Amino acid sequence: MNATPSSARPGWFRVVAVLLLLWNLFGLWMCYSQYTMSPDDLAALPEGQRQLFESSPQWLWIAFAVAVVAGTLGALLLVLRKRAALPLFWLSLVAVLVQFGYWLFPGGAMEILGAAAALPMPVTVILVAIVQVWLATKAIARGWIA
């Protein structure tokens, strides 16, 4: 038997799983708040951000929603110690890569905002999405989730 019994799950695992759930709930809130922006809210954005927002194709919003919904459900399942978290985290990672890959390059964020403004959030979100996949994979391999 190679897997560690689930009772040997390290204490940090639950803490990290809850933090990932909070992170994803924040992402869900950001998606909702951006999608429901009023014309006044949009007008209050700096010119570059408003330009990017207005030029975003509908499918990009769908990718954003898929990324945060899949990530949130995956994190909830991780907290509940269910292995179904892994495919949801993979779906979230793919959607994040599609979303930010378009936004940064063909979408124009790098040219409009510059690298210093355009890169920090996408890099952070991509890294967290990778960590989620890694953690769920490790948790399954070690028997921490079933």
Side-chain angles (χ1 to χ4, degrees), residues 1-46:
M1 186 159 113
N2 292 337
T4 305
S6 58
S7 61
R9 185 174 28 262
W12 59 263
F13 177 80
R14 183 149 180 92
V15 172
V16 171
V18 169
L19 289 174
L20 289 173
L21 179 59
L22 293 173
W23 167 265
N24 281 284
L25 287 169
F26 178 72
L28 201 57
W29 170 252
M30 291 304 299
C31 184
Y32 172 78
S33 65
Q34 288 180 25
Y35 192 75
T36 59
M37 285 181 81
S38 71
D40 290 337
D41 294 335
L42 189 57
L45 290 175

Side-chain angles (χ1 to χ4, degrees), residues 71-139:
T72 302
L73 291 174
L76 178 61
L77 289 172
L78 194 65
V79 168
L80 297 173
R81 300 185 311 263
K82 302 294 182 189
R83 71 183 313 129
L86 182 59
L88 288 166
F89 284 150
W90 272 113
L91 177 60
S92 179
L93 175 58
V94 169
V96 162
L97 291 171
V98 167
Q99 174 195 3
F100 286 125
Y102 176 85
W103 188 75
L104 286 171
F105 301 108
M110 293 287 283
E111 294 82 20
I112 293 169
L113 302 176
L119 286 175
M121 183 54 76
V123 168
T124 302
V125 172
I126 291 167
L127 287 175
V128 171
I130 290 168
V131 165
Q132 291 179 143
V133 168
W134 171 82
L135 182 59
T137 301
K138 178 178 180 141

